[in-house]
Amino acid sequence: MQAGVALITDERGAVLVDAGQSPAHAREIRAALDATGLPAPRWLVYTHHHWDHVWGACAWPDVEIVGHVAGESLLRAEAARPWSHRYLREQVRAEPRLGPSFRARALAMETFDDFVVLPPTRTFTDELELPTGVRLRHVGGGHAPDSTAVLVPDSGVMLLGDCWYPPPAHLRGPDDGPDLALVGRLLDDDYGWYVSSHSPPMTLAEARAALA
């Protein structure tokens, strides 16, 4: 459950999209950025509040965390939980449907020492444009109420997060599936590339063909 992470950078500053699934994952990404000489991010954008997108945030210093307002209260509730490997085991015993997600969290986290879940420090409702020209658009959907698409007009790239995925496994019903109609509404001739967090990038033509 290791979600993709993107860095968008120019002379106006760098924007990181999603934080990594754990502090260790975030440190690997930071090391890769340092090795290539890319600048440290000034903004960290959450595509949504799920753990594999935000649990690395505490390893990114000196960033403004930006997310949709619907995710703020959800992450504050997550931050209040007593996260540990023991807690994960207890939760799975109490609710077995949590097994896939919580076992993945246990594997991702070597230790919970100094770990904290960080809600966004800046929220928005419908749309927000950052000083770099990167645009955030709330799209919602069944996967997460705070799902946000990140638009990079200068590059013609749209980062979709998990917005079109079905709900998480422990919340999924028998009729829940990918929300292809949501993707169809997002396709735009001004954007030639579409990037989901757990899938290879697709061109506009490939995305349209997949929806046909």
Side-chain angles (χ1 to χ4, degrees), residues 41-167:
R42 293 176 55 192
W43 298 272
L44 166 58
V45 173
Y46 290 160
T47 59
H48 61 297
H49 70 282
H50 289 165
W51 74 276
D52 53 323
H53 298 257
V54 305
W55 271 24
C58 59
W60 292 101
D62 305 318
V63 295
E64 181 179 33
I65 303 176
V66 186
H68 187 261
V69 66
E72 181 183 20
S73 59
L74 294 168
L75 284 170
R76 291 196 183 281
E78 290 290 286
R81 299 172 75 170
W83 295 109
S84 69
H85 287 98
R86 178 178 179 179
Y87 176 74
L88 291 170
R89 290 193 298 271
E90 291 172 345
Q91 293 296 296
V92 172
R93 282 197 294 269
E95 175 46 82
R97 292 187 72 188
L98 292 172
S101 172
F102 276 35
R103 292 190 185 103
R105 301 180 201 219
L107 290 170
M109 296 292 292
E110 298 174 4
T111 176
F112 282 89
D113 294 344
D114 302 317
F115 170 71
V116 290
V117 175
L118 296 178
T121 53
R122 180 180 180 185
T123 61
F124 70 100
T125 52
D126 298 321
E127 294 193 5
L128 175 69
E129 182 169 332
L130 297 176
T132 61
V134 171
R135 300 173 185 168
L136 313 182
R137 180 186 299 168
H138 176 242
V139 296
H143 186 71
D146 56 328
S147 280
T148 295
V150 180
L151 286 65
V152 192
D154 293 348
S155 301
V157 174
M158 189 181 300
L159 304 168
L160 302 174
D162 296 352
C163 68
W164 58 277
Y165 294 0

